[in-house]
Amino acid sequence: MQIRSDPRPVRGPVQRGERALAPDLARGFMLLFIALANSAVAAFGTQPGVEQAPEGLERGFNLFMATLVNSRAFPVFAIMFGYGLVQLARRQQAAGAAPAAVRSVLLRRNAWLVAFGAAHGVLLNFGDFLGAYGLVGIVATLVLLPRGDRVHRVVLWLWGCSALSSVVAAALLVSDAVRTPGGNAGVPTTQRESLVADDYFSATLARIGEWPGHTLTVLGFITVVWLGIWAARRRLLEDPASHRTLLRATAAIGLGVAVLGGLPLGLISAGLWHTSASTAELAAVLHATGGLFAGPGYVALFGLLTLVVPRRSVAAVAALGQRSLSGYLFQSLAWLVLLSPYALALGGIGSTALTTGLIAVLVWSATVLGAWHLERRSRRGPAEDVLRRLTYRL
């Protein structure tokens, strides 16, 4: 491939037929799980957001959230973020951009993501991930993307170590449960001041202190982003048919580990297992370590789904995937308006967990319809349009 000497990045949009369905479908659908998780945090004022005394259907809902949703949706976006870095760089290179121009556009885009994250984290939602994505993206651009296959194979060893840590966490959990049987501990949670503040100004002041700390705690997902870079270098989602066996194994193992790792905490959250505080803490550790494997598991599952699901039947969800940044920011605005104690506070009506879940589904459905409306008019999402203009200095 001939590389031009022009230092400027290529600004032309990706043609509609060039987009692989799996990445957009994964982002669009998993925004539903992001909505379920974040709406519960906003409603209960804790992280994670859990109904500690579930009754009836709430028991099943809590079990579903712990095994399939909480700490299991964000790894999908981390993988897709790494995948997207490679796709963007590849597109620039294919159009003849010089390596310096490719690096420049990636660094500028990720720097603006940090700015987006700061605004989002302070004004709307302390649990922002955009700032962390931007910081990890800068490191990945400078350190990981220029490396060859030998270096990228290291990430597979790192994931092997993660699997080992889950095994250790499970062993410690079993040992502690045997030594300290019984108890009445609930799911370990942390209250966030911004979520229980009496007014928006107080909540904003609290978020100024909460957002940096939250961002630092999630920077460790660089190994998840790195796995996405590894997958993109092999075009696993552009040609899932050629990687069917690998995708099947990844889906089975990844989701299997995620579900089994989340089951102990799920049983506690459903009120089906009464145990000690120390055992509950270890269940939370296992829940977190196992949750990372949901990332590759879900991504592989969506890759396989694109082999059997007609594109037109999931076009609206995929349209949201193309506009996932706008959908994500809209959700945070919705939680502030609908669930904040100083706003409508709808999360307190009736069966709180189920009510909040219903609100999450309705908000996600609204973003699907909005994205489909924009898609039919060949328009980007508003946040994507702003980020593109800032990145390319249009």
Side-chain angles (χ1 to χ4, degrees):
M1 179 180 67
Q2 183 177 1
I3 303 295
R4 66 180 188 177
S5 59
D6 189 346
R8 294 172 297 177
V10 178
R11 302 185 182 185
V14 175
Q15 297 302 312
R16 187 180 301 269
E18 295 176 356
R19 295 193 72 100
L21 176 60
D24 290 334
L25 182 60
R27 293 186 188 100
F29 184 85
M30 294 308 293
L31 275 174
L32 171 60
F33 283 13
I34 293 292
L36 289 169
N38 286 348
S39 62
V41 171
F44 292 106
T46 62
Q47 192 179 23
V50 181
E51 172 58 64
Q52 295 284 15
E55 298 290 342
L57 293 177
E58 287 185 341
R59 294 178 183 270
F61 182 77
N62 277 10
L63 183 61
F64 162 76
M65 291 289 290
T67 54
L68 294 173
V69 178
N70 288 336
S71 298
R72 277 132 183 83
F74 85 84
V76 175
F77 285 90
I79 288 180
M80 299 317 305
F81 179 74
Y83 207 100
L85 289 176
V86 175
Q87 286 183 312
L88 178 56
R90 186 178 286 150
R91 171 177 167 263
Q92 292 281 326
Q93 292 166 351
V102 176
R103 184 170 59 254
S104 175
V105 72
L106 287 173
L107 290 176
R108 195 156 54 246
R109 186 178 190 275
N110 284 298
W112 278 113
L113 269 182
V114 175
F116 271 55
H120 176 233
V122 171
L123 298 177
L124 296 177
N125 183 0
F126 81 94
D128 162 78
F129 274 85
L130 299 179
Y133 284 147
L135 293 173
V136 169
I138 290 172
V139 173
T141 299
L142 296 174
V143 179
L144 297 178
L145 292 184
R147 307 302 176 183
D149 287 342
R150 179 177 299 180
V151 171
H152 288 289
R153 280 195 289 269
V154 173
V155 73
L156 302 181
W157 289 97
L158 293 176
W159 275 82
C161 294
S162 295
L164 181 61
S165 68
S166 292
V167 172
V168 172
L172 292 174
L173 171 64
V174 172
S175 175
D176 192 80
V178 171
R179 288 187 296 103
T180 58
N184 195 33
V187 175
T189 60
T190 302
Q191 187 178 79
R192 299 298 179 180
E193 293 302 318
S194 64
L195 300 177
V196 296
D198 294 329
D199 57 79
Y200 178 75
F201 179 73
S202 299
T204 300
L205 289 179
R207 283 191 292 266
I208 291 175
E210 292 171 347
W211 174 75
H214 176 268
T215 298
L216 289 176
T217 62
V218 298
L219 286 178
F221 68 43
I222 188 170
T223 57
V224 190
V225 173
W226 194 357
L227 187 65
I229 293 173
W230 177 88
R233 288 171 62 87
R234 284 150 183 79
R235 300 179 183 269
L236 297 187
L237 297 182
E238 286 91 333
D239 187 15
S242 298
H243 302 93
R244 196 189 307 259
T245 301
L246 175 59
L247 292 176
R248 284 174 175 169
T250 302
I253 296 172
L255 293 178
V257 172
V259 170
L260 291 175
L263 188 58
L265 194 68
L267 294 174
I268 294 173
S269 69
L272 300 176
W273 184 23
H274 303 284
T275 188
S276 66
S278 60
T279 301
E281 291 286 350
L282 289 169
V285 172
L286 178 60
H287 180 267
T289 58
L292 293 178
F293 288 85
Y298 276 127
V299 169
L301 178 62
F302 283 108
L304 293 170
L305 284 176
T306 59
L307 298 177
V308 296
V309 176
R311 180 182 287 264
R312 63 180 179 275
S313 67
V314 293
V317 177
L320 176 59
Q322 293 182 37
R323 300 159 180 83
S324 57
L325 177 59
S326 295
Y328 175 60
L329 294 176
F330 179 84
Q331 284 186 13
S332 291
L333 179 61
W335 312 145
L336 189 146
V337 173
L338 299 176
L339 301 174
S340 294
Y342 51 82
L344 297 181
L346 297 181
I349 298 176
S351 299
T352 305
L354 294 177
T355 300
T356 303
L358 176 60
I359 292 172
V361 172
L362 292 176
V363 169
W364 175 78
S365 298
T367 60
V368 170
L369 293 175
W372 180 235
H373 175 80
L374 293 174
E375 174 69 13
R376 294 181 65 183
R377 286 156 180 76
S378 299
R379 296 176 58 184
R380 299 181 185 86
E384 284 78 10
D385 190 55
V386 171
L387 181 60
R388 179 178 181 273
R389 291 177 180 277
L390 293 171
T391 298
Y392 295 101
R393 297 174 178 172
L394 297 179

mmCIF file of all heavy atoms in Angstrom, residues 10 12 20 42 102 105 120 146 152 162 169 174 184 190 197 200 214 232 237 279 297 303 312 330 335 341 367 383:
data_model
loop_
_atom_site.group_PDB
_atom_site.id
_atom_site.type_symbol
_atom_site.label_atom_id
_atom_site.label_comp_id
_atom_site.label_asym_id
_atom_site.label_seq_id
_atom_site.Cartn_x
_atom_site.Cartn_y
_atom_site.Cartn_z
ATOM 1 N N VAL A 10 -7.432 11.730 6.562
ATOM 2 C CA VAL A 10 -8.498 11.587 5.583
ATOM 3 C C VAL A 10 -9.815 11.871 6.271
ATOM 4 O O VAL A 10 -10.088 11.351 7.351
ATOM 5 C CB VAL A 10 -8.498 10.161 5.007
ATOM 6 C CG1 VAL A 10 -9.642 9.989 4.017
ATOM 7 C CG2 VAL A 10 -7.168 9.893 4.323
ATOM 8 N N GLY A 12 -13.070 11.783 4.703
ATOM 9 C CA GLY A 12 -14.256 11.232 4.080
ATOM 10 C C GLY A 12 -14.934 10.203 4.961
ATOM 11 O O GLY A 12 -14.283 9.436 5.661
ATOM 12 N N ALA A 20 -19.144 -3.274 9.081
ATOM 13 C CA ALA A 20 -19.482 -4.605 9.555
ATOM 14 C C ALA A 20 -20.659 -4.484 10.512
ATOM 15 O O ALA A 20 -20.731 -3.550 11.321
ATOM 16 C CB ALA A 20 -18.286 -5.235 10.243
ATOM 17 N N ALA A 42 -28.707 5.154 39.588
ATOM 18 C CA ALA A 42 -29.324 6.461 39.793
ATOM 19 C C ALA A 42 -30.518 6.377 40.734
ATOM 20 O O ALA A 42 -30.739 7.273 41.570
ATOM 21 C CB ALA A 42 -29.759 7.045 38.453
ATOM 22 N N VAL A 102 -2.201 9.584 10.864
ATOM 23 C CA VAL A 102 -3.061 8.616 11.543
ATOM 24 C C VAL A 102 -2.936 8.771 13.051
ATOM 25 O O VAL A 102 -3.935 8.830 13.780
ATOM 26 C CB VAL A 102 -2.694 7.180 11.125
ATOM 27 C CG1 VAL A 102 -3.535 6.176 11.904
ATOM 28 C CG2 VAL A 102 -2.888 6.989 9.629
ATOM 29 N N VAL A 105 -4.711 12.039 14.305
ATOM 30 C CA VAL A 105 -6.170 12.029 14.397
ATOM 31 C C VAL A 105 -6.632 11.162 15.563
ATOM 32 O O VAL A 105 -7.594 11.508 16.260
ATOM 33 C CB VAL A 105 -6.804 11.561 13.063
ATOM 34 C CG1 VAL A 105 -6.601 10.071 12.817
ATOM 35 C CG2 VAL A 105 -8.289 11.894 13.033
ATOM 36 N N HIS A 120 -19.302 15.226 30.919
ATOM 37 C CA HIS A 120 -20.339 14.243 31.233
ATOM 38 C C HIS A 120 -20.287 13.861 32.712
ATOM 39 O O HIS A 120 -21.319 13.799 33.394
ATOM 40 C CB HIS A 120 -20.149 13.007 30.350
ATOM 41 C CG HIS A 120 -21.083 11.886 30.645
ATOM 42 N ND1 HIS A 120 -20.658 10.604 30.903
ATOM 43 C CD2 HIS A 120 -22.440 11.855 30.745
ATOM 44 C CE1 HIS A 120 -21.705 9.832 31.133
ATOM 45 N NE2 HIS A 120 -22.795 10.552 31.046
ATOM 46 N N PRO A 146 1.238 0.675 17.290
ATOM 47 C CA PRO A 146 2.386 0.514 16.391
ATOM 48 C C PRO A 146 3.069 -0.846 16.496
ATOM 49 O O PRO A 146 3.947 -1.156 15.686
ATOM 50 C CB PRO A 146 3.342 1.632 16.838
ATOM 51 C CG PRO A 146 2.537 2.551 17.682
ATOM 52 C CD PRO A 146 1.516 1.693 18.321
ATOM 53 N N HIS A 152 1.290 -8.169 20.622
ATOM 54 C CA HIS A 152 -0.151 -8.259 20.880
ATOM 55 C C HIS A 152 -0.568 -9.619 21.415
ATOM 56 O O HIS A 152 -1.628 -9.739 22.041
ATOM 57 C CB HIS A 152 -0.934 -7.911 19.608
ATOM 58 C CG HIS A 152 -0.890 -6.460 19.273
ATOM 59 N ND1 HIS A 152 -1.555 -5.512 20.020
ATOM 60 C CD2 HIS A 152 -0.237 -5.778 18.293
ATOM 61 C CE1 HIS A 152 -1.325 -4.314 19.504
ATOM 62 N NE2 HIS A 152 -0.522 -4.454 18.464
ATOM 63 N N SER A 162 -6.094 -13.456 34.181
ATOM 64 C CA SER A 162 -7.402 -13.036 34.699
ATOM 65 C C SER A 162 -8.265 -14.239 35.016
ATOM 66 O O SER A 162 -8.990 -14.255 36.021
ATOM 67 C CB SER A 162 -8.112 -12.141 33.669
ATOM 68 O OG SER A 162 -7.405 -10.937 33.468
ATOM 69 N N ALA A 169 -10.375 -16.440 43.313
ATOM 70 C CA ALA A 169 -11.489 -15.781 44.005
ATOM 71 C C ALA A 169 -12.582 -16.782 44.354
ATOM 72 O O ALA A 169 -13.174 -16.730 45.442
ATOM 73 C CB ALA A 169 -12.056 -14.663 43.131
ATOM 74 N N VAL A 174 -15.472 -20.128 48.433
ATOM 75 C CA VAL A 174 -15.941 -21.408 48.960
ATOM 76 C C VAL A 174 -15.374 -21.652 50.358
ATOM 77 O O VAL A 174 -16.088 -22.070 51.284
ATOM 78 C CB VAL A 174 -15.546 -22.558 48.014
ATOM 79 C CG1 VAL A 174 -15.854 -23.913 48.656
ATOM 80 C CG2 VAL A 174 -16.281 -22.422 46.686
ATOM 81 N N ASN A 184 -26.708 -12.633 57.356
ATOM 82 C CA ASN A 184 -27.787 -11.860 56.737
ATOM 83 C C ASN A 184 -27.224 -10.691 55.943
ATOM 84 O O ASN A 184 -27.806 -9.614 55.907
ATOM 85 C CB ASN A 184 -28.758 -11.361 57.807
ATOM 86 C CG ASN A 184 -30.071 -10.881 57.232
ATOM 87 O OD1 ASN A 184 -30.542 -11.401 56.225
ATOM 88 N ND2 ASN A 184 -30.670 -9.875 57.855
ATOM 89 N N THR A 190 -21.688 0.926 47.554
ATOM 90 C CA THR A 190 -21.101 2.197 47.978
ATOM 91 C C THR A 190 -22.065 3.320 47.630
ATOM 92 O O THR A 190 -22.477 3.450 46.471
ATOM 93 C CB THR A 190 -19.763 2.456 47.279
ATOM 94 O OG1 THR A 190 -18.862 1.378 47.567
ATOM 95 C CG2 THR A 190 -19.154 3.769 47.739
ATOM 96 N N ALA A 197 -28.077 13.777 46.585
ATOM 97 C CA ALA A 197 -28.081 15.219 46.885
ATOM 98 C C ALA A 197 -29.481 15.789 46.745
ATOM 99 O O ALA A 197 -30.314 15.276 45.990
ATOM 100 C CB ALA A 197 -27.113 15.941 45.956
ATOM 101 N N TYR A 200 -29.517 20.033 42.253
ATOM 102 C CA TYR A 200 -28.566 19.803 41.172
ATOM 103 C C TYR A 200 -27.211 20.428 41.476
ATOM 104 O O TYR A 200 -26.165 19.844 41.162
ATOM 105 C CB TYR A 200 -29.113 20.370 39.857
ATOM 106 C CG TYR A 200 -28.160 20.212 38.690
ATOM 107 C CD1 TYR A 200 -27.974 18.971 38.080
ATOM 108 C CD2 TYR A 200 -27.433 21.305 38.211
ATOM 109 C CE1 TYR A 200 -27.097 18.817 37.019
ATOM 110 C CE2 TYR A 200 -26.556 21.156 37.154
ATOM 111 C CZ TYR A 200 -26.392 19.914 36.558
ATOM 112 O OH TYR A 200 -25.506 19.776 35.513
ATOM 113 N N HIS A 214 -13.530 7.797 40.125
ATOM 114 C CA HIS A 214 -14.128 6.713 39.352
ATOM 115 C C HIS A 214 -13.307 6.430 38.100
ATOM 116 O O HIS A 214 -13.071 5.265 37.742
ATOM 117 C CB HIS A 214 -15.563 7.066 38.962
ATOM 118 C CG HIS A 214 -16.217 6.045 38.085
ATOM 119 N ND1 HIS A 214 -16.179 6.112 36.701
ATOM 120 C CD2 HIS A 214 -16.901 4.916 38.386
ATOM 121 C CE1 HIS A 214 -16.828 5.078 36.201
ATOM 122 N NE2 HIS A 214 -17.269 4.343 37.188
ATOM 123 N N ALA A 232 -9.412 -6.956 16.330
ATOM 124 C CA ALA A 232 -9.557 -6.151 15.118
ATOM 125 C C ALA A 232 -8.429 -6.414 14.138
ATOM 126 O O ALA A 232 -8.633 -6.379 12.916
ATOM 127 C CB ALA A 232 -9.608 -4.665 15.483
ATOM 128 N N LEU A 237 -14.679 -9.681 13.439
ATOM 129 C CA LEU A 237 -16.072 -9.293 13.272
ATOM 130 C C LEU A 237 -16.406 -8.868 11.851
ATOM 131 O O LEU A 237 -17.578 -8.848 11.473
ATOM 132 C CB LEU A 237 -16.416 -8.155 14.248
ATOM 133 C CG LEU A 237 -16.298 -8.516 15.729
ATOM 134 C CD1 LEU A 237 -16.707 -7.336 16.598
ATOM 135 C CD2 LEU A 237 -17.135 -9.742 16.073
ATOM 136 N N THR A 279 -18.142 -13.307 53.230
ATOM 137 C CA THR A 279 -18.457 -14.117 52.048
ATOM 138 C C THR A 279 -19.085 -13.252 50.962
ATOM 139 O O THR A 279 -18.794 -13.418 49.779
ATOM 140 C CB THR A 279 -19.408 -15.267 52.424
ATOM 141 O OG1 THR A 279 -18.792 -16.094 53.417
ATOM 142 C CG2 THR A 279 -19.724 -16.122 51.206
ATOM 143 N N GLY A 297 -17.199 -12.633 25.514
ATOM 144 C CA GLY A 297 -18.303 -13.564 25.328
ATOM 145 C C GLY A 297 -19.449 -12.948 24.547
ATOM 146 O O GLY A 297 -19.938 -13.523 23.562
ATOM 147 N N GLY A 303 -21.147 -11.537 16.979
ATOM 148 C CA GLY A 303 -20.532 -11.925 15.717
ATOM 149 C C GLY A 303 -21.218 -13.126 15.105
ATOM 150 O O GLY A 303 -21.468 -13.171 13.892
ATOM 151 N N ARG A 312 -31.595 -6.362 7.922
ATOM 152 C CA ARG A 312 -32.737 -5.451 7.988
ATOM 153 C C ARG A 312 -33.554 -5.626 9.264
ATOM 154 O O ARG A 312 -34.203 -4.693 9.738
ATOM 155 C CB ARG A 312 -33.641 -5.650 6.774
ATOM 156 C CG ARG A 312 -34.278 -7.025 6.672
ATOM 157 C CD ARG A 312 -35.159 -7.141 5.437
ATOM 158 N NE ARG A 312 -35.749 -8.473 5.322
ATOM 159 C CZ ARG A 312 -35.157 -9.513 4.759
ATOM 160 N NH1 ARG A 312 -33.920 -9.372 4.253
ATOM 161 N NH2 ARG A 312 -35.745 -10.687 4.690
ATOM 162 N N PHE A 330 -27.506 10.577 26.140
ATOM 163 C CA PHE A 330 -28.943 10.796 26.323
ATOM 164 C C PHE A 330 -29.448 10.028 27.528
ATOM 165 O O PHE A 330 -30.289 10.529 28.290
ATOM 166 C CB PHE A 330 -29.712 10.373 25.067
ATOM 167 C CG PHE A 330 -31.208 10.541 25.194
ATOM 168 C CD1 PHE A 330 -31.797 11.767 24.949
ATOM 169 C CD2 PHE A 330 -32.019 9.470 25.572
ATOM 170 C CE1 PHE A 330 -33.178 11.932 25.085
ATOM 171 C CE2 PHE A 330 -33.388 9.625 25.708
ATOM 172 C CZ PHE A 330 -33.965 10.861 25.459
ATOM 173 N N TRP A 335 -31.634 9.800 33.154
ATOM 174 C CA TRP A 335 -31.609 9.388 34.567
ATOM 175 C C TRP A 335 -31.660 10.609 35.481
ATOM 176 O O TRP A 335 -32.311 10.579 36.531
ATOM 177 C CB TRP A 335 -30.356 8.563 34.883
ATOM 178 C CG TRP A 335 -30.049 7.461 33.924
ATOM 179 C CD1 TRP A 335 -28.819 7.033 33.545
ATOM 180 C CD2 TRP A 335 -30.976 6.614 33.217
ATOM 181 N NE1 TRP A 335 -28.901 6.001 32.641
ATOM 182 C CE2 TRP A 335 -30.221 5.721 32.432
ATOM 183 C CE3 TRP A 335 -32.362 6.536 33.170
ATOM 184 C CZ2 TRP A 335 -30.808 4.766 31.604
ATOM 185 C CZ3 TRP A 335 -32.961 5.594 32.347
ATOM 186 C CH2 TRP A 335 -32.184 4.722 31.592
ATOM 187 N N PRO A 341 -33.529 12.542 42.946
ATOM 188 C CA PRO A 341 -34.471 12.896 44.022
ATOM 189 C C PRO A 341 -34.965 14.335 43.937
ATOM 190 O O PRO A 341 -36.036 14.648 44.450
ATOM 191 C CB PRO A 341 -33.655 12.660 45.295
ATOM 192 C CG PRO A 341 -32.224 12.651 44.868
ATOM 193 C CD PRO A 341 -32.217 12.115 43.474
ATOM 194 N N THR A 367 -34.147 5.735 22.313
ATOM 195 C CA THR A 367 -32.899 6.002 21.589
ATOM 196 C C THR A 367 -32.802 5.155 20.322
ATOM 197 O O THR A 367 -32.235 5.600 19.320
ATOM 198 C CB THR A 367 -31.670 5.740 22.480
ATOM 199 O OG1 THR A 367 -31.655 4.371 22.907
ATOM 200 C CG2 THR A 367 -31.678 6.644 23.692
ATOM 201 N N ALA A 383 -23.820 13.898 19.074
ATOM 202 C CA ALA A 383 -22.532 13.822 19.764
ATOM 203 C C ALA A 383 -21.439 13.338 18.821
ATOM 204 O O ALA A 383 -20.306 13.843 18.858
ATOM 205 C CB ALA A 383 -22.634 12.891 20.969
#
